[in-house]
Amino acid sequence: MVVFSEDHREETCRRGRIEVICGSMFSGKTEELIRRLRRATFAHQRVEIFKPAIDTRYSEGDVVSHDNNSIKSTPIDSSASILLFTSEIDVVGIDEAQFFDDGLPEVCNELANQGVRVIVAGLDMDFKGIPFGPMPALCAIADEVTKVHAICVKCGNLAYVSHRTVSNDKRVLLGEKEEYEPLCRCCYQKALKSEKTTSV
Ligand SMILES: Nc1ncnc2c1ncn2[C@@H]1O[C@H](COP(=O)(O)OP(=O)(O)O)[C@@H](O)[C@H]1O
Ligand SMILES: Cc1cn([C@H]2C[C@H](O)[C@@H](COP(=O)(O)O)O2)c(=O)[nH]c1=O
Ligand SMILES: [Zn+2]
């Protein structure tokens, strides 16, 4: 699998396309998004970055990675707002796409059809292992999907899901290492089993 996109033709030829970067928490989605967007800026392309306004974890206005890398962004409430900010833009970046409404895939399609390179990063699954918001539809319509992996904090294998370590059943719960840990399939099953036995 090609993890990092080094295809310079695809980076610069200005053909519209949709790239999706997905994975669990701590898998490097935001780092990879920032890396691709910075390279586009170095290539003198006009870049605009969006994130859902509800994601105020590290900053109101910036997209920030767990390693504190950051890039300026525009927080928005609805996917339709993206179209209002993207005339004369070559590359659109979108972080935390899982929190957006179901209109996001259509907005990305519209931009890509107009010749814009759209790079979307988001959680593929929620803490229950269920595909999250518009992410499955985005993966389906994408020209390229990159799945990145964190390291399982229990065994060191590749993680595939974000295990919630606090008791809260709401789908949306902003958080970090106090609330979530990346686990592989095997360690996730064990964690769920031990939660069941301790709750009875
Ligand atoms: N268990 C882990 N596995 C991999 N990276 C981790 C882990 N815990 C912390 N990190 C850090 O998280 C960084 C990735 O952060 P980020 O790009 O914000 O991830 P994501 O957006 O996927 O949550 C890594 O470069 C690494 O320094
Ligand atoms: C699994 C899961 C996560 N969240 C929240 C927790 C964080 O605030 C973000 C994910 O951020 P990251 O950049 O991917 O680390 O999403 C949630 O609300 N619900 C969940 O099930
Ligand atoms: Zn494991």
Side-chain angles (χ1 to χ4, degrees):
M1 185 189 79
V2 177
V3 175
F4 297 116
S5 113
E6 301 289 6
D7 183 343
H8 198 54
R9 214 168 12 97
E10 293 293 4
E11 279 187 313
T12 55
C13 68
R14 302 187 189 212
R15 245 187 306 129
R17 59 194 251 111
I18 300 172
E19 298 166 28
V20 170
I21 306 163
C22 65
S24 73
M25 289 180 69
F26 307 101
S27 60
K29 302 181 298 297
T30 303
E31 296 274 345
E32 177 58 9
L33 175 69
I34 292 174
R35 194 185 80 94
R36 291 186 196 181
L37 295 173
R38 287 225 177 101
R39 286 169 67 87
T41 309
F42 287 133
H44 307 290
Q45 295 176 0
R46 293 158 298 182
V47 174
E48 197 63 59
I49 305 144
F50 300 95
K51 72 170 194 175
I54 61 159
D55 183 30
T56 51
R57 241 181 336 163
Y58 295 109
S59 155
E60 297 271 327
D62 294 355
V63 161
V64 185
S65 79
H66 292 294
D67 280 352
N68 253 336
N69 246 317
S70 67
I71 195 162
K72 282 260 155 297
S73 74
T74 305
I76 48 169
D77 286 317
S78 140
S79 63
S81 307
I82 295 174
L83 296 172
L84 306 175
F85 291 97
T86 44
S87 59
E88 313 280 303
I89 290 296
D90 301 304
V91 183
V92 166
I94 302 165
D95 200 17
E96 305 292 355
Q98 74 276 358
F99 291 145
F100 277 106
D101 52 89
D102 289 343
L104 185 61
E106 199 36 55
V107 167
C108 294
N109 249 340
E110 203 168 319
L111 290 169
N113 292 344
Q114 288 165 16
V116 177
R117 179 183 176 205
V118 185
I119 314 174
V120 188
L123 285 175
D124 45 8
M125 290 181 282
D126 66 12
F127 69 107
K128 293 183 174 171
I130 297 169
F132 210 151
M135 287 304 289
L138 285 164
C139 287
I141 62 165
D143 297 86
E144 182 190 290
V145 178
T146 305
K147 183 145 177 165
V148 283
H149 297 87
I151 300 298
C152 172
V153 295
K154 301 272 191 221
C155 75
N157 284 326
L158 290 185
Y160 101 112
V161 74
S162 319
H163 175 233
R164 187 177 281 172
T165 53
V166 294
S167 164
N168 184 322
D169 208 44
K170 279 195 213 145
R171 189 174 218 196
V172 175
L173 173 71
L174 299 185
E176 261 282 328
K177 284 196 173 153
E178 283 69 40
E179 294 83 10
Y180 296 96
E181 59 184 8
L183 295 182
C184 70
R185 190 180 286 274
C186 179
C187 294
Y188 181 62
Q189 293 305 317
K190 278 189 204 156
L192 294 187
K193 240 186 226 159
S194 86
E195 276 162 21
K196 251 193 205 154
T197 46
T198 48
S199 72
V200 286

